[in-house]
Amino acid sequence: MDEIVFVGLGLHDEMGISLRGLEEVKTADNVFIELYTSLLPNFSIERFEKISGKKLHVVSRRELEEENGEAILKAAETGKAVLLVPGDPLIATTHVALRIQAEKIGIKTRVVHGASILSAVIGLSGLHNYKFGKTVTIPLPSETPSETPYEVIAQNKRFGLHTLCLLDIKVDGNRYMKIREGLESLLKIEEKRRERIVTMDTLALGIARAGSSNPTVKAGFLKDLLTYDFGEPPHSIIFPGKLHFMEAEALIVLACAPENLRR
Amino acid sequence: MDEIVFVGLGLHDEMGISLRGLEEVKTADNVFIELYTSLLPNFSIERFEKISGKKLHVVSRRELEEENGEAILKAAETGKAVLLVPGDPLIATTHVALRIQAEKIGIKTRVVHGASILSAVIGLSGLHNYKFGKTVTIPLPSETPSETPYEVIAQNKRFGLHTLCLLDIKVDGNRYMKIREGLESLLKIEEKRRERIVTMDTLALGIARAGSSNPTVKAGFLKDLLTYDFGEPPHSIIFPGKLHFMEAEALIVLACAPENLRR
């Protein structure tokens, strides 16, 4: 059967894959893996090959985006190809593009989902899922500066909504944006626009290593978070909107937020 | 070690759990499971007990919400208790409440994430994650009628954003809202408010059985979706906002949307 199965690796390491995902790998003719769209800090290709009994072909950004995943499409012509991706597949647009291309030339595609950073950090925050507005990514300082993250936070706040800020990564350059860098980048925009959206007294929540056995989840004012040691990446930031009392309680008990949040 | 580990079961059946999640179950002293916050259509307690070698204690809504998870807290006092939950844990507020209570009385808690319906349907839709606004749940017709879903769709559309509509379920009463019922409920509000937010010519996307091997993903105008057979639940609906051309392409190729979306 010629098909591509997109399998999510979930979070953190080789134990994040689902039982069904592992089954798909074991019964595949060819197994590909990309590890550049998201960081799995403790993932070991060697250990995964041992668990699954399969050899992994690592595909680079170039192969997937410039060569349009040609090797994967070719493998799918004569058998079952699995593409392993961090988190939940098809959240990165590059996987959707490959899926569209495969279906257009008659190759069947299926998806085996995995835990995603999106729901993981929402869960760890204790904040209510249906109160999150639009999500945004803060670009690395080396990239083209953008005021979009600031504007998204402002727009969500106007409606009392929380904002999840993902932080940019460049796996090739081994660059993973830290919470401090993300906050500093927003403070720089604040300095220019002065709308009092992100100030030293703004409440925010930093989350590091979601999906590991020791995530760091800390809520506080920016002046406190800027010097807080969140440890190893990956990092994310949440800017809360209007807090329900149960959400305030969660931030205090689960994320060491200042007690005076409880009012 | 006295602790509660919240373990996500992921989607659809007993194969949705991660390898790490299964490890936590195997090394637990007591394993609890709740199956009322979300529908896992093919989950078998018997098969899961066989895979894990552990006996599962099913906890009801009453035990978790009215009795505040007393049995779980008690078990955690003398050993490791695992609470298995559908999807990704802590997305349902009832799990957050239990977590807060445990931490307050000195019981450690940890989380093992699982695939969530939230990222799964976004991935299956082919729409861009960062263009989703607030999520909303459409209540069953038997519940208090609410215009909130209509208002959320309207508000998101004003900003060009997509809206994920989760559909209400009542596991006790074996009632799982269908896409058709969700659309009809919105059309009823449209009849009253006449803001042309949800009409027969509005584009929407229905997704059934995300996480199974045969999900149904169909985009079209409401007049077409109302008679479309999506098969067994669980069902969800997405109302797209402004479409990027790659998103339109995804809807056409992956969700059989009308070709004239490609402009």
Side-chain angles (χ1 to χ4, degrees), chain A residues 13 20 88 104 119 249, chain B residues 13 20 88 104 119 249:
Chain A
D13 63 13
R20 162 156 314 97
D88 197 18
K104 271 185 166 175
S119 62
E249 190 68 14
Chain B
D13 62 14
R20 162 154 314 98
D88 197 18
K104 272 185 166 177
S119 62
E249 191 69 15

Side-chain angles (χ1 to χ4, degrees), chain A residues 128 130-134 151-163 197 239-244 247, chain B residues 133-135 148 151-161:
Chain A
H128 294 167
Y130 61 88
K131 284 177 60 190
F132 277 79
K134 194 174 161 166
E151 286 160 6
V152 169
I153 297 166
Q155 181 183 306
N156 284 336
K157 274 200 180 168
R158 263 200 299 280
F159 293 98
L161 301 176
H162 314 318
T163 307
I197 301 300
F239 283 90
K242 202 170 170 320
L243 290 174
H244 183 267
E247 295 182 305
Chain B
K134 195 175 159 165
T135 297
T148 304
E151 286 159 7
V152 169
I153 297 167
Q155 181 183 307
N156 284 336
K157 273 199 181 170
R158 262 199 302 280
F159 292 99
L161 301 176

Side-chain angles (χ1 to χ4, degrees), chain A residues 11-23 48 51 88-91 93 96-97 99-101 103-104 109-111 113-116 118-124 126-137 155 158-159 161 166 210-213 246 249-250 253-254 262, chain B residues 11-23 48 51 88-91 93 96-97 99-101 103-104 109-111 113-116 118-124 126-136 155 158-159 161 166 210-213 246 249-251 253-254 262:
Chain A
L11 304 166
H12 195 64
D13 63 13
E14 61 278 356
M15 302 287 279
I17 194 171
S18 68
L19 303 187
R20 162 156 314 97
L22 185 60
E23 271 307 304
F48 191 88
I51 292 172
D88 197 18
L90 307 180
I91 293 299
T93 52
V96 177
R99 188 172 188 208
I100 290 174
Q101 204 177 358
E103 291 278 347
K104 271 185 166 175
T109 59
R110 287 187 293 122
V111 184
H113 297 280
S116 165
L118 300 172
S119 62
V121 296
I122 292 174
L124 290 174
L127 299 177
H128 294 167
N129 160 55
Y130 61 88
K131 284 177 60 190
F132 277 79
K134 194 174 161 166
T135 297
V136 74
T137 297
Q155 181 183 306
R158 263 200 299 280
F159 293 98
L161 301 176
L166 300 173
S212 75
S213 58
M246 270 284 297
E249 190 68 14
V253 178
L254 306 175
R262 196 186 275 136
Chain B
L11 304 166
H12 195 64
D13 62 14
E14 61 279 356
M15 301 287 278
I17 194 172
S18 68
L19 303 187
R20 162 154 314 98
L22 186 60
E23 272 306 305
F48 191 87
I51 292 172
D88 197 18
L90 307 180
I91 293 299
T93 52
V96 177
R99 189 173 187 208
I100 290 174
Q101 203 175 357
E103 292 278 349
K104 272 185 166 177
T109 60
R110 288 188 293 122
V111 184
H113 297 280
S116 164
L118 299 172
S119 62
V121 296
I122 291 175
L124 290 174
L127 300 177
H128 294 168
N129 160 56
Y130 61 87
K131 285 178 61 191
F132 277 79
K134 195 175 159 165
T135 297
V136 74
Q155 181 183 307
R158 262 199 302 280
F159 292 99
L161 301 176
L166 300 173
S212 75
S213 58
M246 268 286 296
E249 191 69 15
L251 290 185
V253 178
L254 306 175
R262 195 186 275 135

